[in-house]
Amino acid sequence: MGLTSNNTLVPAALAAVALFACTVWLWPRLAQRGWRSVSGRVALLFAVQLSLFVSVGLFANQTFGFYASWADLFGQETDQGVVVDHTPGNRSSDPLRVTEIGGVPGRSGFRPSSVGQVQKVDIVGRTTHIASPAYIYLPPEYFQERYRARTFPAAVVLTGYPGTARALVDKLHYPRTALQLVKDGRMRPMILVMLRPTVAPPRDTECVDVPGGPQTESFFAEDLPQAVTQHYRVTEGPRSWGIIGDSTGGYCALKLAMHHPGVYAAGAGLSPYYKAPVDPTTGDLFQGDKALRNRANLWWCLKHLPGPDTSLLVSSSKEGEANYKDTLKFIERVKAKETTRISSIILESGGHNFNTWRREIPATLEWVSGLLGDR
């Protein structure tokens, strides 16, 4: 009966229907003026309203991935720590461990050499000691004999906050979309590393190296690419990695590409913002360090720092997205930097939600693939 399970949603929806039917059936009997009849009507109305609220809430959470579990919903999530043994030759020191192997949703029953494979992994940063689960999509070419000596470019894909990594697979359909784009000849095979930027839940670290806290930026810029490259056949070189994200993940993707162009040759922000917020979910990210605060502000970076040698993509909607004007301004400021390339996806309308991002993901994957190298 998990928060995102159909075993929870279906009974809740059936209960709402049953309570509504019960209210219609009993209403004539409760149409009197006595306190018992009035109390009965109030109780039935309250029960119907509550059941509808719960059903809609469960459906919305399952669709958009706001909370991953009941503990996450009530702010009680505590990820179990991982003991890392750094003794040379000890297998437990491997930074990446595969925990589950599955197929591509919607393509079950096929061999990996036909549709690829989705692996659930645990990653432990060797320098930051941050532990995070992730999903790895390996394209079918990865398993085909004629490509056994080939390496592949890779792209990190980030959720928003709080988000769930599994939603990138099941709701935003990254593996299925990448598979179809390759079949259509619109992109080359690419490894996808899908996870959420919330590597120290429930805190929202905004991909910042927090003084005295999680070194999140270093995890994504150093530990994550190293762990994946060590375990999979990822192309080595300055044009091997891209990064994509939506909302908070979009801000992180842009920032990481701008701060680390030697690692990420391309960064795509879907519905991003451009400055790290400080609120109850983030806590004090900067500990009074003005330089760190400025570095996390992409507006400040564009004004005061040389343009990084990387390619950026931003998306927004003319109607439905709050970041539309900021996105247009960001595009103009990046265009003033000779060494930084900027592209955009601007929809006529679309809200800050999965449906909008699903409309943008195919073009985004095609764009990233075209900028990364392989051999």
Side-chain angles (χ1 to χ4, degrees):
M1 299 294 286
L3 182 62
T4 60
S5 171
N6 285 333
N7 292 333
T8 302
L9 175 60
V10 172
L14 291 176
V17 173
L19 282 169
F20 177 77
C22 184
T23 300
V24 174
W25 179 260
L26 294 177
W27 198 259
R29 302 183 185 181
L30 299 174
Q32 302 176 18
R33 294 186 177 181
W35 67 269
R36 291 183 180 179
S37 297
V38 172
S39 299
R41 294 198 297 269
V42 170
L44 283 174
L45 289 174
F46 177 79
V48 171
Q49 295 278 357
L50 180 61
S51 63
L52 287 173
F53 176 80
V54 170
S55 299
V56 172
L58 289 170
F59 176 76
N61 184 69
Q62 190 182 86
T63 302
F64 299 111
F66 296 121
Y67 298 98
S69 64
W70 295 106
D72 191 13
L73 174 64
F74 293 109
Q76 299 173 335
E77 183 183 75
T78 55
D79 278 6
Q80 186 176 359
V82 178
V83 177
V84 182
D85 185 352
H86 295 280
T87 304
N90 195 322
R91 291 290 297 174
S92 66
S93 65
D94 289 349
L96 187 150
R97 181 170 61 92
V98 178
T99 59
E100 293 180 20
I101 295 177
V104 175
R107 300 291 188 273
S108 60
F110 293 91
R111 294 175 298 177
S113 59
S114 298
V115 298
Q117 189 176 84
V118 176
Q119 299 183 354
K120 185 177 181 181
V121 302
D122 287 332
I123 299 173
V124 180
R126 281 188 164 167
T127 62
T128 62
H129 305 293
I130 288 175
S132 178
Y135 290 90
I136 308 289
Y137 166 68
L138 301 173
E141 290 79 6
Y142 192 91
F143 302 94
Q144 295 172 5
E145 180 64 23
R146 58 177 173 163
Y147 294 112
R148 61 186 176 87
R150 177 178 172 177
T151 60
F152 297 83
V156 174
V157 183
L158 300 176
T159 69
Y161 176 83
T164 62
R166 187 68 199 182
L168 296 168
V169 179
D170 293 338
K171 305 300 181 182
L172 289 175
H173 310 310
Y174 271 96
R176 189 194 312 177
T177 303
L179 175 65
Q180 190 61 49
L181 288 172
V182 173
K183 287 184 176 181
D184 294 342
R186 293 174 55 187
M187 66 174 279
R188 291 175 295 169
M190 185 166 60
I191 295 172
L192 301 180
V193 184
M194 298 167 284
L195 69 167
R196 58 182 187 168
T198 315
V199 295
R203 187 177 188 183
D204 176 14
T205 58
E206 293 290 325
C207 299
V208 168
D209 280 349
V210 181
Q215 302 296 287
T216 313
E217 181 171 347
S218 294
F219 172 78
F220 284 111
E222 301 172 22
D223 288 344
L224 180 61
Q226 289 176 5
V228 175
T229 300
Q230 179 177 318
H231 196 89
Y232 299 100
R233 300 198 314 271
V234 178
T235 305
E236 297 183 7
R239 297 183 58 80
S240 304
W241 285 84
I243 185 166
I244 305 166
D246 59 73
S247 192
T248 298
Y251 160 74
C252 287
L254 296 175
K255 181 173 69 174
L256 286 161
M258 291 174 67
H259 288 180
H260 306 276
V263 178
Y264 294 111
L270 308 183
S271 307
Y273 46 86
Y274 305 99
K275 176 182 177 182
V278 176
D279 56 34
T281 67
T282 65
D284 188 353
L285 292 175
F286 310 112
Q287 302 292 315
D289 188 330
K290 185 177 179 181
L292 186 61
R293 181 186 296 273
N294 288 339
R295 192 169 183 272
N297 185 334
L298 302 189
W299 301 116
W300 185 93
C301 292
L302 288 174
K303 183 176 181 180
H304 297 280
L305 300 179
D309 184 11
T310 191
S311 298
L312 304 176
L313 170 71
V314 291
S315 81
S316 188
S317 303
K318 294 180 181 179
E319 183 178 350
E321 279 284 13
N323 76 335
Y324 176 60
K325 291 183 178 180
D326 279 346
T327 296
L328 296 183
K329 184 169 68 173
F330 185 81
I331 292 170
E332 291 303 314
R333 292 195 180 183
V334 175
K335 285 167 63 177
K337 299 288 186 178
E338 295 183 0
T339 53
T340 308
R341 281 77 59 192
I342 185 71
S343 302
S344 66
I345 300 173
I346 304 296
L347 302 178
E348 288 297 321
S349 65
H352 198 78
N353 55 53
F354 280 13
N355 184 59
T356 297
W357 299 328
R358 281 192 291 262
R359 295 160 60 196
E360 298 167 343
I361 287 170
T364 300
L365 285 173
E366 185 177 357
W367 176 83
V368 171
S369 170
L371 292 169
L372 304 184
D374 61 355
R375 60 179 172 86

